[in-house]
Amino acid sequence: MRERLTTQSGAPDPRQRQYAVLVLVAVVVGTAIGWLLDLHTPALVAGLTAVLALVASGGQSLRSDLYRFAWFTPALVLTMTVGPLLANVPVLAGAVVAVVVFGTGMLPALGEHYHVGGQTFAAATLVSTTTGIGADQPVLVLLGSSVAGALFALVLRVVIGLSDPTRATRVAVARTLLARGPGVVESAAAAWRADGSSTWLGQVLAGAARFRAARETLLAQAQQSDRIEAERLRQIVAEADQVAAELARSVRARACTGLPAAARRDPAQAVVARGGRQDLPDAVQGINQGLDRIRAAVVRRVDTPLPPPAPGARRERLLGAVRAHLSFRSSLFRHALRCTLAVAFGMVIVALLRDPSASSLLLALYVVLQPAARDSMTGALERTGGAVLGVTALAIVITLLPGAFLLVPLVIAGMLLNMPRLRTDYQVLLSCLIVITVVDQAMRLERPLVNVGISFAANTAVGAAIALIVGYVSYLVLPSSILPDVRGAVRSTVWAVSELLRSVRAAGQGVDLPTALQAAHVLALRRTQDLLGMPALLDGTGEETDDDRATRDAAIALDALRQDVATLAFRPEAEQAVAVPALRAVDDLLGGKPTAKIPDVPEGSAPATELLASSLVENALHARQAIDRTFGYDNPWKSYTISFVRTERLHIR
């Protein structure tokens, strides 16, 4: 909590403190009004709406968050208003829940924020439709409560972001200079595009992407060099990391009148001054070029927006995701269908029981099954035991602790103060909702609390058992791989991504191949999504082995590479030629050639495309190293040729 209330320099953060004060005051006032005026249910509905709205629509700059708030909140308010009324129409309630669970289960194909929004909307649907919260209230009261909660969430978001609207974007861009591994540039670029694509941050991203690509090239060359040369190259990289860390502080700052001396150093100069060889690899020049570009952009800070992507990019991305995953061949589709079947079966059990204490059944079912990675049931038993034991312990607390109803406002306050955790850990969000539901329903039931606790624990166990049974049965029935072929999956994914980048490379050279490009994008999207779910199938113990880690690294790098190539496909045609050298270098790396070098990417004309070109090289280097480990090559960067057997026709069946 102390870290959240202070800036990175340790000074008090007035925005976070205002946010915390508003949350605490609102929770205290809402609890008092609910208790004194017997309006605890409307207050609870308002609190849940505020929490869910902030979870789904927060996390980026004020501009992009308000945009997501505008389209997500009306649907959330409608759900929180109409959901409790569906309790009297079980068939309609079951149909609505099944459709929402299936639809939101498919959203990860569109990106992380769609994923978080979909999961949050599914949780809101389950809570409003199946727990009975608000079922005894008039529709106008529910509407007013949910609208009040949404407005409170809007006030909180504006308070935290009005004084510095672009802070989250600058932090995301600065992270590219600090965090290592694939996917970092893609995440920052998505936040930058959502915030209007300002020129100076685009220049920083282009410089950071070139710096990262050159850095990974030096590390790859160190693996191919003798011990003395490898040590020298790693020292240059270490010096460059220190300079980048200093520049990251300037990027995060709201204004910059000058750079400190530590941010202006030449990373290679200190290493050369210590003695040894004076000649430097070309990648060192790439590091200096990237850092110089960042320095110039940070000081000048031109806020005019860059040219947008080609029209139709969002539509084509949506259609491509639908075509890629609306098929039994897609592991994402199979997992969404598995969750839908489990929830539908759970809805039938809840309708037959007609017991308010069954409200925890579906939430427990979802917390067991939904977080699993696509085809995986890894960890389901642990989540089952955790859900049952957690609800049992909660029932004991409710029985023994006087004033247990205060747990509800405490949990809501804790959720409002820990938004980042709720966005990144869906199990925590569902667990908090289970606590709120169990406490609220236990206080309402006119039965001994001991009996209520036993009922909740039993129904939670039933929900977890349903999740396990349906999960394992569908795992056997639906077309999936019981013994996955890891190397075959990597080969087919590399082939699909290579086919996509060759199509984009041809488009950059003036060849018009819209049908082939679209089909290649669909296939690459499916293959990378399937490979992302592969590591969870390899080991049922939940402990990640070296092979699992190599497969996961290859999946993340290839998916990031696929995102870059797909985004590049929708840049203006005049800019695509800028990335042709990078596409050629990436094709060579994925094909098994041992050369790791920085391609000649023109600078200064198209930052949005330049950052994609350099990011392509970085992700290809990450992917190549992970592929080497996956195939079991002891000697890294060994020259080889992957035989890409065409396992599927290019048109999507």
Side-chain angles (χ1 to χ4, degrees):
M1 182 60 66
R2 181 178 299 175
E3 293 178 356
R4 292 193 178 93
L5 297 178
T6 58
T7 63
Q8 293 186 351
S9 62
D13 189 339
R15 295 180 300 273
Q16 293 291 345
R17 290 174 181 265
Q18 290 173 1
Y19 177 87
V21 170
L22 275 176
V23 167
L24 295 177
V25 170
V27 169
V28 171
V29 172
T31 303
I33 293 176
W35 178 258
L36 296 175
L37 302 181
D38 196 22
L39 295 175
H40 56 275
T41 297
L44 177 57
V45 171
L48 288 174
T49 304
V51 168
L52 296 172
L54 286 172
V55 170
S57 61
Q60 288 188 347
S61 68
L62 181 61
R63 173 179 176 170
S64 56
D65 284 356
L66 291 180
Y67 175 77
R68 287 198 305 275
F69 189 91
W71 62 259
F72 177 81
T73 305
L76 176 62
V77 168
L78 181 64
T79 299
M80 299 300 291
T81 302
V82 178
L85 306 179
L86 296 179
N88 299 322
V89 191
V91 176
L92 182 58
V96 169
V97 171
V99 169
V100 169
V101 168
F102 179 78
T104 55
M106 297 292 291
L107 286 179
L110 298 179
E112 181 61 25
H113 278 283
Y114 288 96
H115 185 198
V116 173
Q119 286 185 329
T120 306
F121 189 72
T125 304
L126 288 174
V127 169
S128 64
T129 307
T130 66
T131 62
I133 295 176
D136 57 342
Q137 300 293 318
V139 63
L140 291 180
V141 173
L142 291 173
L143 178 60
S145 302
S146 56
V147 169
L151 291 176
F152 178 65
L154 179 61
V155 170
L156 287 177
R157 184 61 191 94
V158 171
V159 166
I160 196 70
L162 191 59
S163 61
D164 191 1
T166 62
R167 179 175 182 269
T169 306
R170 297 198 310 273
V171 170
V173 172
R175 186 170 175 266
T176 60
L177 297 171
L178 301 172
R180 308 299 171 218
V184 178
V185 174
E186 286 71 29
S187 177
W192 167 67
R193 295 187 191 102
D195 196 25
S197 304
S198 67
T199 297
W200 82 272
L201 284 176
Q203 297 282 1
V204 170
L205 275 173
R210 189 163 185 82
F211 163 76
R212 293 170 64 92
R215 180 185 183 278
E216 292 302 321
T217 301
L218 273 184
L219 292 176
Q221 291 173 350
Q223 289 182 316
Q224 298 172 299
S225 304
D226 57 62
R227 183 180 60 82
I228 297 176
E229 177 65 7
E231 181 62 25
R232 186 177 75 121
L233 296 181
R234 293 190 180 100
Q235 288 177 3
I236 295 175
V237 169
E239 293 285 343
D241 288 343
Q242 294 179 12
V243 176
E246 291 294 332
L247 284 173
R249 297 180 183 177
S250 300
V251 173
R252 286 194 298 263
R254 294 183 62 180
C256 180
T257 58
L259 295 173
R264 299 194 302 268
R265 290 187 297 115
D266 183 343
Q269 186 175 4
V271 177
V272 172
R274 296 182 191 133
R277 293 174 54 183
Q278 301 296 309
D279 58 315
L280 296 172
D282 293 339
V284 174
Q285 182 181 0
I287 284 181
N288 287 326
Q289 289 173 345
L291 294 176
D292 287 341
R293 190 163 191 181
I294 296 169
R295 294 181 185 113
V298 168
V299 174
R300 294 172 187 169
R301 300 208 175 202
V302 179
D303 283 324
T304 56
L306 289 170
R314 182 172 298 179
R315 177 177 175 273
E316 287 298 326
R317 190 175 292 113
L318 176 61
L319 292 177
V322 171
R323 294 184 66 207
H325 294 295
L326 203 60
S327 166
F328 279 108
R329 296 175 179 273
S330 168
S331 61
L332 195 63
F333 177 87
R334 294 194 295 267
H335 184 64
L337 184 59
R338 180 180 299 113
C339 291
T340 304
L341 293 174
V343 168
F345 191 36
M347 289 290 292
V348 173
I349 300 298
V350 170
L352 294 177
L353 289 177
R354 294 185 176 275
D355 184 355
S357 62
S359 58
S360 63
L361 189 151
L362 279 169
L363 287 174
L365 180 154
Y366 213 54
V367 82
V368 169
L369 191 58
Q370 170 60 24
R374 298 172 178 87
D375 279 326
S376 171
M377 290 300 294
T378 301
L381 289 174
E382 289 83 352
R383 291 192 295 273
T384 299
V388 175
L389 291 176
V391 172
T392 302
L394 180 62
I396 295 174
V397 170
I398 295 172
T399 304
L400 301 178
L401 184 66
F405 66 91
L406 292 176
L407 287 174
V408 173
L410 287 176
V411 171
I412 290 180
M415 295 172 75
L416 288 170
L417 294 174
N418 289 276
M419 281 294 143
R421 177 69 184 278
L422 298 182
R423 293 189 190 103
T424 56
D425 195 335
Y426 193 48
Q427 294 181 59
V428 173
L429 175 62
L430 291 176
S431 300
C432 291
L433 295 177
I434 289 176
V435 172
I436 292 172
T437 300
V438 170
V439 174
D440 179 74
Q441 294 296 327
M443 296 295 102
R444 292 171 176 272
L445 296 177
E446 298 179 354
R447 293 187 299 186
L449 289 179
V450 175
N451 294 341
V452 172
I454 294 174
S455 298
F456 275 117
N459 284 310
T460 302
V462 171
I466 292 173
L468 289 175
I469 293 171
V470 174
Y472 278 117
V473 169
S474 60
Y475 182 80
L476 297 174
V477 173
L478 294 177
S480 58
S481 178
I482 302 299
L483 296 175
D485 178 11
V486 176
R487 295 187 179 184
V490 171
R491 286 191 181 95
S492 62
T493 305
V494 171
W495 180 87
V497 173
S498 298
E499 192 80 4
L500 175 61
L501 69 88
R502 287 167 188 165
S503 299
V504 175
R505 175 181 165 187
Q509 294 173 332
V511 182
D512 189 16
L513 298 172
T515 303
L517 178 59
Q518 185 184 58
H521 176 227
V522 169
L523 188 58
L525 178 59
R526 179 186 296 171
R527 287 287 175 259
T528 52
Q529 289 290 322
D530 289 349
L531 189 61
L532 284 170
M534 182 70 67
L537 293 173
L538 301 177
D539 186 11
T541 64
E543 297 180 359
E544 192 174 50
T545 64
D546 291 339
D547 290 341
D548 299 348
R549 192 175 299 108
T551 305
R552 188 181 305 280
D553 291 345
I556 294 173
L558 288 170
D559 184 60
L561 188 59
R562 191 266 313 164
Q563 292 180 48
D564 287 338
V565 179
T567 305
L568 181 63
F570 296 106
R571 294 303 303 170
E573 293 182 2
E575 295 184 11
Q576 290 181 355
V578 173
V580 169
L583 291 171
R584 188 181 298 112
V586 171
D587 198 14
D588 291 341
L589 283 170
L590 293 183
K593 293 185 178 180
T595 304
K597 63 180 182 179
I598 296 293
D600 184 18
V601 178
E603 293 186 15
S605 57
T609 301
E610 292 169 37
L611 76 89
L612 290 172
S614 296
S615 182
L616 283 168
V617 177
E618 181 205 353
N619 288 321
L621 290 166
H622 285 299
R624 174 60 190 272
Q625 295 184 52
I627 291 169
D628 281 350
R629 300 203 315 271
T630 301
F631 290 161
Y633 295 125
D634 296 329
N635 181 20
W637 298 98
K638 175 182 177 182
S639 178
Y640 60 86
T641 300
I642 299 179
S643 176
F644 298 119
V645 179
R646 193 164 186 164
T647 58
E648 180 176 354
R649 293 182 181 274
L650 198 55
H651 70 271
I652 304 302
R653 292 177 285 175

